[in-house]
Amino acid sequence: MPSPPTVAIDELHQNSEPENIVTDMHNSDSDSDTDTDSDKSTDTQPRTEGDLVIHSVLECNCDVMVCQFNNEGTILAVGLCDGTIKVYSTDNGSLVKTLKDSEIILSPIPVTALQFFHSIRAHSLLLATYASGVVRCWYVWGQECIWSLNEVGESSGREEGQRQTLSMSISSSGEIAATGGSDSVVHLYDLHTQQRVLTCSASANKSIMDGHRFRIFAVNFHPEREREFISGGWDNSIQFWDTRQQHSVRMLLGPHVCGDSLQINPVTNQILSGSWRKDKALEIFDYDSCQKISEGPNDPHGQSRIYTCHWLDQDHILAGGSQSNMLRVIDHQTLLSVARLIGLPSAVFSSCICPGGRWMGLIAASSGKRIFLLKRGCLQK
């Protein structure tokens, strides 16, 4: 990569002691050991088990941080460690657009989150967050950044401008965006005006846990309740928020979230959480009562510390992570793996599922500099 300050992918997603802008992102105390992402995976010939089939592989030439399909399922946006966003055609895997500006070229900093949404004029836009604390809104087809903002750290002891934006979600209406970061707060923005409308944080009274105390790696709006969202991170809690209130309205303890691994099922109203730890890595909770419904056992292929998980459909879950570098399709009822992508040389940091169109149900998962596009036996194309 070029000479200006950069952030390596392992400094965002594994135990380390980096000395540059993204410091100790995953230097967690959840486990006593310090296994790296690939030290438990000696088989590096990617292959599938069960009904998963590798449809194609995208070579991105730089470590992949995050990936996201658009709502129509026609393109896949891939955020890279050097700040570049590459946009690929879902039909043939060709590179159709590359999104970066002069600031990214001069100071390459990882993309940390991506989400498509529609503007008032029905234009398809892509919201992107970066480890530098910058939020950019891209018009993909014009390869144009139409607006950007620079988030400022809110925590005491941090200098202004040192916030690292690590997660993002957009409300179901497309009107509000929430961003979570290294300063343990969530910022809410009106996407029409690009103005911050509220900063959600814990109160000063540290005897009350009504917000986060450490980095926030996941934020997710409720798909059916416009004013409600959840967040998770290093402090082993899921916080429940109302967009009209500064402090969280309730919380549950347990999940150690280190990636995009907090999802809400709109049908069952259940929370799926993935934790970067050896045991109880996958858990399901009831959204309203906060009661744990079930937790997944370790996979026969080995422990998998989870960075990314999703509701694949009403019967299955998708989860990927490190240590045993693999992506799994998991039965919702038994929480046992029914299909896998294994033999990966590095961790699965991100995954997404095509939400519509011809390729609805197609799975994208990153490992190192590659994106694996996978389909299941039931997906006939």
Side-chain angles (χ1 to χ4, degrees):
M1 285 186 283
S3 58
T6 61
V7 181
I9 193 170
D10 60 346
E11 295 166 8
L12 284 162
H13 287 292
Q14 70 181 39
N15 287 355
S16 59
E17 295 183 358
E19 296 180 354
N20 53 19
I21 188 170
V22 181
T23 306
D24 294 332
M25 274 198 169
H26 283 187
N27 185 16
S28 159
D29 295 327
S30 64
D31 296 308
S32 59
D33 56 358
T34 56
D35 294 321
T36 61
D37 286 330
S38 57
D39 61 359
K40 295 296 184 180
S41 183
T42 57
D43 178 7
T44 56
Q45 183 59 47
R47 65 186 187 278
T48 58
E49 297 179 343
D51 68 352
L52 270 183
V53 177
I54 298 176
H55 174 65
S56 60
V57 180
L58 306 178
E59 299 288 348
C60 300
N61 301 316
C62 184
D63 287 320
V64 176
M65 301 299 296
V66 61
C67 56
Q68 185 68 50
F69 287 102
N70 69 338
N71 295 332
E72 296 77 20
T74 56
I75 53 176
L76 174 70
V78 178
L80 304 179
C81 191
D82 66 358
T84 302
I85 299 172
K86 293 187 175 181
V87 182
Y88 296 89
S89 165
T90 310
D91 280 337
N92 55 30
S94 63
L95 178 64
V96 294
K97 297 292 178 182
T98 299
L99 308 178
K100 59 182 176 181
D101 56 19
S102 58
E103 182 180 347
I104 293 170
I105 294 171
L106 291 173
S107 299
I109 294 293
V111 182
T112 54
L114 296 169
Q115 191 165 346
F116 285 92
F117 71 105
H118 285 90
S119 69
I120 296 175
R121 295 176 180 154
H123 291 150
S124 182
L125 304 176
L126 178 63
L127 197 64
T129 63
Y130 299 78
S132 59
V134 173
V135 180
R136 291 182 174 90
C137 181
W138 294 94
Y139 175 51
V140 174
W141 301 114
Q143 293 180 282
E144 177 187 4
C145 177
I146 59 175
W147 58 262
S148 67
L149 56 89
N150 204 331
E151 299 199 300
V152 176
E154 296 288 336
S155 296
S156 59
R158 278 193 178 274
E159 296 179 1
E160 284 193 355
Q162 292 303 301
R163 170 180 164 101
Q164 301 146 8
T165 306
L166 306 174
S167 54
M168 179 260 294
S169 180
I170 297 176
S171 65
S172 58
S173 68
E175 295 180 356
I176 301 293
T179 64
S182 57
D183 58 355
S184 74
V185 308
V186 177
H187 294 314
L188 300 182
Y189 296 95
D190 183 320
L191 288 177
H192 299 319
T193 65
Q194 297 95 54
Q195 298 299 309
R196 187 186 303 178
V197 294
L198 185 66
T199 293
C200 301
S201 62
S203 60
N205 184 353
K206 295 193 175 181
S207 66
I208 303 173
M209 196 168 183
D210 55 359
H212 289 290
R213 301 294 180 182
F214 295 100
R215 301 168 186 262
I216 301 171
F217 280 95
V219 179
N220 209 321
F221 272 96
H222 195 290
E224 303 292 337
R225 305 178 188 180
E226 174 74 11
R227 295 188 180 276
E228 297 181 20
F229 67 94
I230 58 175
S231 59
W234 266 6
D235 57 15
N236 301 328
S237 75
I238 296 176
Q239 299 289 336
F240 295 72
W241 306 85
D242 185 301
T243 58
R244 296 161 293 188
Q245 299 185 40
Q246 181 182 2
H247 308 308
S248 67
V249 295
R250 65 183 187 280
M251 53 84 69
L252 67 85
L253 288 173
H256 185 76
V257 176
C258 289
D260 182 22
S261 58
L262 207 55
Q263 312 294 338
I264 303 170
N265 188 320
V267 176
T268 62
N269 205 33
Q270 294 175 349
I271 298 171
L272 172 66
S273 72
S275 295
W276 196 81
R277 61 188 178 200
K278 294 183 293 184
D279 300 311
K280 300 181 180 179
L282 196 70
E283 299 171 291
I284 298 175
F285 300 88
D286 178 75
Y287 180 89
D288 289 320
S289 69
C290 298
Q291 295 299 308
K292 183 189 289 189
I293 297 171
S294 56
E295 63 183 51
N298 286 328
D299 191 90
H301 275 263
Q303 295 167 339
S304 181
R305 306 182 188 214
I306 294 175
Y307 285 128
T308 176
C309 63
H310 298 274
W311 298 104
L312 181 55
D313 53 42
Q314 292 309 310
D315 297 317
H316 298 92
I317 291 164
L318 187 70
S322 66
Q323 191 167 355
S324 296
N325 301 327
M326 60 181 169
L327 182 79
R328 295 181 290 154
V329 176
I330 300 166
D331 184 278
H332 182 187
Q333 298 302 319
T334 65
L335 294 185
L336 298 175
S337 300
V338 296
R340 301 176 185 86
L341 170 64
I342 57 175
L344 300 173
S346 57
V348 177
F349 288 135
S350 64
S351 64
C352 60
I353 302 156
C354 186
R358 178 181 174 221
W359 292 102
M360 183 174 181
L362 187 71
I363 298 166
S366 71
S367 180
K369 299 178 181 180
R370 293 187 286 181
I371 290 280
F372 291 86
L373 295 177
L374 305 118
K375 57 184 180 180
R376 302 183 62 204
C378 57
L379 182 62
Q380 301 297 325
K381 296 293 180 185

